[in-house]
Amino acid sequence: MANYELYYWSNIQGRGEFVRLALEDAGADYVDVGRGPRGDDAVARGMKGGLGGTRPFGPPYLRHGKIVVAQTANVLAYLGPRLGLVPKGEPARLAAHQHQLTIADFVVEIHDTHHPEGPTLYYEDQKPSSRRRAAAFLAARLPLFMGYFEDVLEENGGRHIIGRSVSYVDLSLYQIALGLGYAFPRAFGRYQKKIPRLMALRDRIAERPGIAAYLASERRIPFNEDDLFRHYPELDK
Ligand SMILES: N[C@@H](CCC(=O)N[C@@H](CS)C(=O)NCC(=O)O)C(=O)O
């Protein structure tokens, strides 16, 4: 049996991708349960309980022996020390968790560019408000979050967000930078010259052996319009 079981939807990168990247970078022994024979049913069933541990509200969640842990940032806080993806010591671990929670906030705002009226309506049923929301996101919120992380990176010497080695936060910022480039090629293409350190970080992470192998494999789900990062040209002004 694999050491780690990741439970996440099989057809999207979504929030699960932040966990997949950590597991893949570390070469961890894991199964992506939703993408296996038991499929998304197993992911849904786990949320009804029965896996042991604390019942998750939503995916991604991880099972490791008797532990079941949910909430992306919490999953990564659990995995970080075990996978060597966070520096030792409480200050660094708190810093990593803090940054990951900020990323979780940012993820909600990214999602809300195409679902400003919530997840119960299709994008097609909330297009006018999506245009307004995406315009405000691109003008004010994207620069606020990415500018913050650019500053943190610079203050820490430019190569890593925390400490002197790659952490799960660096991997998550890689995914954010890549996803924004997919969703908003025009607007993010214009903006990215203001965050040179984050863009260099993105390029360095892509070359890490575990990540490069993952990106070249069928395990990496392509970006798509059922996902968190969606490319709708009408929102990319
Ligand atoms: N804050 C949680 C959010 C979890 C979440 O919203 N998961 C989504 C999939 S990405 C889901 O299916 N939630 C169930 C729902 O909202 O109906 C995290 O970061 O893990």
Side-chain angles (χ1 to χ4, degrees):
M1 199 173 121
N3 198 12
Y4 297 105
E5 284 183 347
L6 169 65
Y7 289 76
Y8 195 68
W9 305 126
S10 61
N11 60 334
I12 59 171
Q13 296 179 8
R15 290 175 172 90
E17 202 63 14
F18 301 108
V19 183
R20 291 189 181 115
L21 287 170
L23 292 164
E24 292 280 349
D25 184 75
D29 176 22
Y30 83 103
V31 285
D32 199 337
V33 173
R35 305 205 77 208
R38 294 189 286 147
D40 288 336
D41 284 351
V43 181
R45 257 200 310 278
M47 291 183 300
K48 296 195 164 69
L51 290 180
T54 308
R55 187 159 74 93
F57 170 75
Y61 57 94
L62 182 89
R63 178 152 77 154
H64 183 215
K66 290 188 173 145
I67 297 275
V68 176
V69 56
Q71 289 282 356
T72 312
N74 207 30
V75 174
L76 289 168
Y78 178 78
L79 281 176
R82 289 168 175 80
L83 302 182
L85 282 172
V86 70
K88 288 190 173 42
E90 193 171 39
R93 299 217 165 144
L94 280 174
H97 193 47
Q98 174 181 320
H99 289 319
Q100 200 64 41
L101 287 166
T102 305
I103 290 171
D105 291 344
F106 191 31
V107 162
V108 173
E109 297 203 21
I110 293 165
H111 169 269
D112 287 356
T113 60
H114 50 77
H115 278 80
E117 296 176 49
T120 55
L121 294 176
Y122 290 110
Y123 167 65
E124 285 68 25
D125 298 325
Q126 44 185 312
K127 276 184 155 186
S129 43
S130 294
R131 280 176 187 259
R132 279 196 299 277
R133 184 68 183 254
F137 172 81
L138 293 173
R141 303 300 292 176
L142 183 152
L144 186 68
F145 279 96
M146 293 305 266
Y148 167 76
F149 283 116
E150 178 75 7
D151 289 348
V152 172
L153 200 48
E154 183 179 6
E155 286 152 18
N156 194 45
R159 286 187 68 83
H160 312 293
I161 279 282
I162 305 150
R164 295 283 164 264
S165 57
V166 169
S167 70
Y168 62 78
V169 183
D170 295 306
L171 302 179
S172 293
L173 288 171
Y174 157 80
Q175 173 70 5
I176 293 279
L178 207 67
L180 290 172
Y182 171 79
F184 304 106
R186 278 170 57 103
F188 192 64
R190 282 195 306 270
Y191 176 70
Q192 66 185 33
K193 51 179 129 1
K194 298 196 173 152
I195 48 167
R197 290 168 193 82
L198 280 172
M199 300 316 287
L201 173 80
R202 178 198 66 181
D203 296 344
R204 282 196 305 277
I205 297 290
E207 288 174 2
R208 287 172 66 79
I211 299 296
Y214 172 55
L215 297 178
S217 77
E218 292 192 350
R219 298 190 301 285
R220 170 77 164 186
I221 299 161
F223 286 110
N224 67 80
E225 278 53 55
D226 292 318
D227 211 326
L228 168 63
F229 295 103
R230 300 187 183 192
H231 177 54
Y232 294 127
E234 62 274 22
L235 302 185
D236 182 24
K237 297 293 180 193

